[in-house]
Amino acid sequence: MDNGDPLEPETKDESDTVSARQSSDETLYCEAEAPMAVEKEKPARESSETDLEIEDTEKFFTTRQRELYLEACRLVGVVPVSYFIRNMEESYVNLNHHGLGPRGTKAIAIALVNISDNDLGLEGARILSEFLQNNTSSLFTLQLSGNNFKEEAAELFCQALSTNYRIKSLDLSHNQFSDKAGEYLGQMLALNVGLQSLDLSWNHLYIQGVVALCSGLRANVSLKKLDLSMNSFGNEGAAALGEVLRLNNSLAYLDLSSNNINNEGLSKISKGLELNESLKVLKLYLNPLSMDGAVLLILSIKRNPKSKMEDIDISNVLVSEQFVKILDGVCAVHPQLDVMYKAVQGLSNKKNLFTWTSPVKLIQSYADQHKISVLDFFRSLNPSGETTMPVGEFRKAMIQQNKVPINRYQVRELIKKLGEKTDMVDFRTLTSPPTPTPAPPPPCPMLIILPESLSPSPGGTDAAVNMMPCLIPRVPSILPSDLTLTPEMTLTLPPLVPSAPSVACTL
């Protein structure tokens, strides 16, 4: 697609056609900020076919966004999709049944949605870097995991993100970044003031790479979430992170799972936590830690009266009852804290796990006794009176309230039911609108039906009346509802069972 050459009709060779069929059911998503431009009027129905109607796109989108996609199409050798060009500023783009094929998908990934696991490589990184350096993109999330990015790609991204402050979330997991890439990323973090979430899990960041990364983190004031799991930087890297935690007051989530950190490295992290005032979640799963290291960790939280720690994951560590007693003391100071460990040695505490009453039943019982709804109980815990609440604040409120006797393990179960995956609990999850009381059935005439063996006679009526409890069914379909039964009236009733004979009744 050189300048001056007309766009050719979209054609696909046989291999492209097969690939297109395989990918036609995929849906591509793009998260974007609301565009600043005046809302454009769209045709009533967009065609699902790929075509070349791109003449009018310039009035809808910036020239740079259009040029990036066109350049990406030229790079991978495909014809642009006009539907995508017309809608690339939207927060959601559905590209089902457009016959993109692997190369068309790659062009769109480079231009806007950046799909993971597409092996974009250095060429794709270069185009993305040039685009991001202009700081005009409406993107705030980049998901670039599994694209075979190496040190050269890291350098390009860091050059772009040192000046681009619009990107809020960057996923670079499952790539090939090593120590040199850690240096570039550290330089970027020292300058960037917009990035809030960075995922570097499943890379090859070792000691030097993480130490360099931490140099940038010391100066960073915007990053809130950092995932470094599944690297192998060991105790030296943990020591550098401990120094970051001592100085950094923006990081709230840190995942260090499976990094070969033992008690020595954990002691360095614990020293940093004694002064940290921002970290809420710390994941240390699948590190070679023992109970002694776990005790050091929770005591560091106890020593810090300003700690905001809410969740610690050491769920591969076997602890003792003595550890549980120490943890009880820590939670008395920090009731918002929850620590996930593997199990308690011995059976005494384990037995209690199976004898605790369901927290939902306890709360429902309290609500019934005080003639309030469960929702009213939960809302009384929230100072704002709202039906949603941050997990840490909810845990603290449940431990400190004295209306329903409940322990932290029951609170953990309750949080799971109320939606912990969103970092917020929603009280409406456990409440439902009251079941309406069914309306009473309409009144029906009562008919006295005499058995065939009972002969109508002057005394027969009295006998029938005396047998009313067993002989008076309500059968509104037999007679009109407005019929009034009077004495001396003889009725011939149709049988209730088809094979039974009709019965005469005299009142």
Side-chain angles (χ1 to χ4, degrees), residues 432-439:
S432 57
T435 304
T437 304

Side-chain angles (χ1 to χ4, degrees), residues 328-356:
D328 288 339
V330 176
C331 291
V333 179
H334 296 285
Q336 80 281 0
L337 178 64
D338 187 31
V339 179
M340 294 286 295
Y341 46 80
K342 183 176 181 180
V344 179
Q345 295 172 348
L347 298 176
S348 58
N349 277 27
K350 185 175 181 181
K351 180 181 290 186
N352 288 337
L353 290 172
F354 297 98
T355 58
W356 288 332

Side-chain angles (χ1 to χ4, degrees), residues 293-313:
V295 170
L296 286 176
L297 179 62
I298 62 172
L299 287 179
S300 70
I301 305 300
K302 185 177 182 179
R303 296 189 190 101
N304 183 356
K306 295 183 178 180
S307 174
K308 291 184 171 62
M309 188 68 72
E310 297 178 0
D311 291 282
I312 295 177
D313 185 352

Side-chain angles (χ1 to χ4, degrees), residues 353 355-367 374 377-378 394 398 401 403-418 430:
L353 290 172
T355 58
W356 288 332
T357 304
S358 165
V360 178
K361 290 183 178 179
L362 290 174
I363 294 170
Q364 184 66 63
S365 176
Y366 174 87
V374 172
F377 169 81
F378 284 131
F394 175 74
M398 283 300 303
Q401 59 85 30
K403 299 175 181 178
V404 178
I406 193 170
N407 60 39
R408 65 175 182 271
Y409 305 103
Q410 290 169 304
V411 173
R412 182 188 299 167
E413 179 185 344
L414 190 58
I415 289 174
K416 288 180 179 179
K417 294 179 180 295
L418 292 172
L430 289 181

Side-chain angles (χ1 to χ4, degrees), residues 171-236:
D171 182 355
L172 291 171
S173 62
H174 293 270
N175 281 294
Q176 307 296 320
F177 294 141
S178 59
D179 288 343
K180 191 65 176 177
E183 295 181 19
Y184 294 132
L185 291 166
Q187 295 169 11
M188 179 270 292
L189 288 174
L191 298 173
N192 185 283
V193 293
L195 191 63
Q196 297 179 4
S197 175
L198 178 60
D199 188 348
L200 293 171
S201 62
W202 291 93
N203 275 282
H204 305 294
L205 296 172
Y206 304 126
I207 298 173
Q208 293 181 0
V210 171
V211 169
L213 184 74
C214 289
S215 297
L217 279 173
R218 291 192 191 100
N220 186 275
V221 295
S222 64
L223 194 68
K224 299 182 183 299
K225 181 175 181 179
L226 177 62
D227 190 343
L228 291 172
S229 61
M230 304 299 172
N231 287 278
S232 293
F233 46 78
N235 292 333
E236 292 84 352

Side-chain angles (χ1 to χ4, degrees), residues 33 131-142 157-169 187-197 220-223:
E33 294 177 347
F131 179 52
L132 294 173
Q133 285 187 63
N134 291 281
N135 205 28
T136 59
S137 171
S138 60
L139 289 177
F140 65 83
T141 298
L142 281 176
F157 287 134
C158 293
Q159 289 174 356
L161 293 174
S162 294
T163 56
N164 183 303
Y165 305 146
R166 298 177 67 86
I167 299 298
K168 305 301 181 186
S169 177
Q187 295 169 11
M188 179 270 292
L189 288 174
L191 298 173
N192 185 283
V193 293
L195 191 63
Q196 297 179 4
S197 175
N220 186 275
V221 295
S222 64
L223 194 68

